[in-house]
Amino acid sequence: GLWDMDAHRRLHAPAASVELACYGGALRMPPRMYRDSKQIMREVGDMRDLRRGDHCIVAVKTVRAISPSFDWLTSWLSRYGFCVVYHHFAVLDDVDSIDDSGIPRTSSGKVVQVVEHTNTTRESLKTITVMTGGRWVRWPFCAIEFILDKAQCQPVALAEYGDMPCIFTLEQPMTEGDRDEVLVRAEAMVRRNVTYNLFTNNCEHTVTAICTGEATSPQVPVIFLDLSMLALRSLALAVLVMHSWRPCRQSLRWRPGIWAAILQLVGCATVAFPAVQRYLLAACNIPVLQKVDVITSFEERYLLIVERIRVAAVVIGGSATFMLSAAWCRDRPAAAAVLSSCASYAPDIFATSMSTGLWWALWHDRRLGAAHSSLPEACVAQ
């Protein structure tokens, strides 16, 4: 993990720059667009690079403090784009060093703190049990009430995320004054003890309010859009299954060819629309991010290529997958349902894998070119 000192030394040990095909000397994934296609998320390669005011995200810890192995797995999956739902927190101190116990500390030796809107699964279950008053019939109702206010805004040690192999930062240009303002807003947020709400005031709302002064959660509308597209696609497939039954066609007097074509078009549109929307947003925002020095010109070119690969893979691959599920809906409805639900997800994962391979190839060539240009002319001639 991030706090394993032996692994940390191996990761950052000096190596031949020509032969080490990596980014910045530490093996980490390429930068990628966040869920809103407006921000850059970058993997943390060295924890000592974290500073106060940094906006960090990790894979959502569904069973936090109960199963570290499962938390580790979800974090590892997020590194490769398989898990795309994130938990947010803000760093309150500059990380100066990591002690022998793997705990990040400041220059004064204090434990590095973060602020977040969170709670553990074990604490949540205890709270719900207390709310029921010993009457288990009330458990479902108390659980729903608890979900709407399940967490507290509080400072915790950054070391609590030591079981997460992957942490990202949401990049934004910040001055020293901006970082000081983040600390002031964090202190005020903790003092106010604002009520948690999964939809209107979740961990992302809290951290963006602390880091930028504006409480927003881009994940919420994106997740709602994905779920609505999945529901519409599932409905189109269900109607196609009904359409394949002769009694249903005769009773409703459907025209087989026209209705099948319309439903297949609707299913393909549910795959293509989010992908095209994401590409258009990214194509508009990536050049802006380069102008404010959030990304380099090399990363700008890479990200634009990635988004083109992604939109092509999702639109073509996702549409083909839904068409195949529509063809299977009569004879193999279960397989058709699985294919339909994966119509946009699987091509997106494929595009992420291709993009990662492209990153290593481009960066390796760039490192080789830089090393070659720095050699003495006599060596180059030889």
Side-chain angles (χ1 to χ4, degrees):
L2 288 170
W3 320 121
D4 185 345
M5 293 303 294
D6 292 334
H8 185 275
R9 294 188 187 100
R10 290 196 301 270
L11 187 64
H12 298 284
S17 60
V18 175
E19 298 175 356
L20 185 59
C22 61
Y23 179 71
L27 291 173
R28 55 177 173 175
M29 298 298 285
R32 70 181 83 158
M33 299 301 292
Y34 182 55
R35 299 296 306 275
D36 60 354
S37 298
K38 297 178 181 179
Q39 303 176 80
I40 292 292
M41 51 186 290
R42 195 184 298 273
E43 185 180 4
V44 177
D46 188 341
M47 299 308 298
R48 292 169 296 187
D49 293 335
L50 287 178
R51 300 198 58 204
R52 69 189 191 283
D54 282 348
H55 185 163
C56 296
I57 59 176
V58 295
V60 63
K61 303 177 74 172
T62 52
V63 288
R64 182 177 180 183
I66 288 184
S67 175
S69 299
F70 190 80
D71 288 340
W72 185 95
L73 177 62
T74 56
S75 179
W76 183 83
L77 290 174
S78 72
R79 191 170 193 258
Y80 299 95
F82 289 89
C83 180
V84 291
V85 181
Y86 301 102
H87 172 67
H88 296 245
F89 61 89
V91 181
L92 298 179
D93 303 293
D94 294 338
V95 180
D96 180 74
S97 61
I98 301 175
D99 65 18
D100 294 335
S101 300
I103 298 176
R105 295 189 178 273
T106 65
S107 57
S108 62
K110 187 182 71 171
V111 174
V112 175
Q113 298 281 312
V114 302
V115 63
E116 58 180 354
H117 221 150
T118 188
N119 203 346
T120 65
T121 306
R122 185 180 288 111
E123 292 170 349
S124 302
L125 293 175
K126 288 182 179 178
T127 303
I128 296 174
T129 302
V130 171
M131 291 171 64
T132 61
R135 291 178 290 177
W136 293 101
V137 179
R138 296 187 56 200
W139 216 96
F141 305 99
C142 293
I144 294 174
E145 180 183 354
F146 175 77
I147 287 174
L148 297 178
D149 186 14
K150 75 177 187 67
Q152 295 178 336
C153 182
Q154 57 188 336
V156 298
L158 177 58
E160 283 204 9
Y161 290 91
D163 58 346
M164 307 293 279
C166 181
I167 295 178
F168 297 94
T169 56
L170 288 183
E171 299 289 301
Q172 54 184 335
M174 296 185 72
T175 63
E176 292 300 318
D178 294 334
R179 296 184 184 277
D180 292 336
E181 288 181 9
V182 169
L183 300 185
V184 173
R185 286 195 291 262
E187 183 180 355
M189 189 71 70
V190 172
R191 193 166 52 246
R192 285 168 50 200
N193 193 20
V194 293
T195 301
Y196 180 94
N197 186 287
L198 183 62
F199 305 108
T200 61
N201 194 40
N202 58 36
C203 63
E204 187 174 17
H205 286 100
T206 300
V207 176
T208 52
I210 290 173
C211 292
T212 66
E214 183 180 355
T216 59
S217 179
Q219 279 193 120
V220 172
V222 171
I223 291 174
F224 272 119
L225 176 63
D226 291 343
L227 291 177
S228 61
M229 292 295 103
L230 176 60
L232 187 58
R233 186 162 61 249
S234 301
L235 178 61
L237 184 65
V239 177
L240 277 171
V241 173
M242 294 175 58
H243 173 268
S244 64
W245 296 340
R246 175 172 291 183
C248 191
R249 285 203 308 267
Q250 291 176 348
S251 61
L252 297 177
R253 297 180 182 180
W254 285 353
R255 295 183 180 180
I258 296 177
W259 276 103
I262 292 175
L263 292 171
Q264 290 175 8
L265 181 63
V266 169
C268 293
T270 61
V271 175
F273 175 73
V276 173
Q277 181 193 44
R278 173 176 177 171
Y279 170 73
L280 293 176
L281 285 172
C284 293
N285 289 303
I286 288 173
V288 176
L289 293 170
Q290 195 276 327
K291 289 181 180 178
V292 295
D293 294 329
V294 172
I295 56 176
T296 65
S297 58
F298 170 76
E299 291 171 337
E300 177 190 12
R301 293 192 297 270
Y302 163 77
L303 288 169
L304 287 172
I305 294 173
V306 166
E307 293 304 320
R308 289 167 189 153
I309 293 174
R310 189 184 307 279
V311 69
V314 173
V315 171
I316 298 174
S319 299
T321 303
F322 181 79
M323 296 291 285
L324 182 60
S325 67
W328 285 2
C329 66
R330 179 176 180 179
D331 301 326
R332 287 174 278 187
V338 172
L339 274 178
S340 176
S341 61
C342 297
S344 60
Y345 187 66
D348 190 39
I349 296 300
F350 173 75
T352 300
S353 303
M354 286 187 59
S355 304
T356 304
L358 174 66
W359 170 263
W360 297 128
L362 291 175
W363 186 258
H364 185 55
D365 289 344
R366 192 180 184 208
R367 292 288 295 271
L368 286 173
H372 186 272
S373 62
S374 63
L375 292 175
E377 295 182 2
C379 295
V380 175
Q382 184 179 1

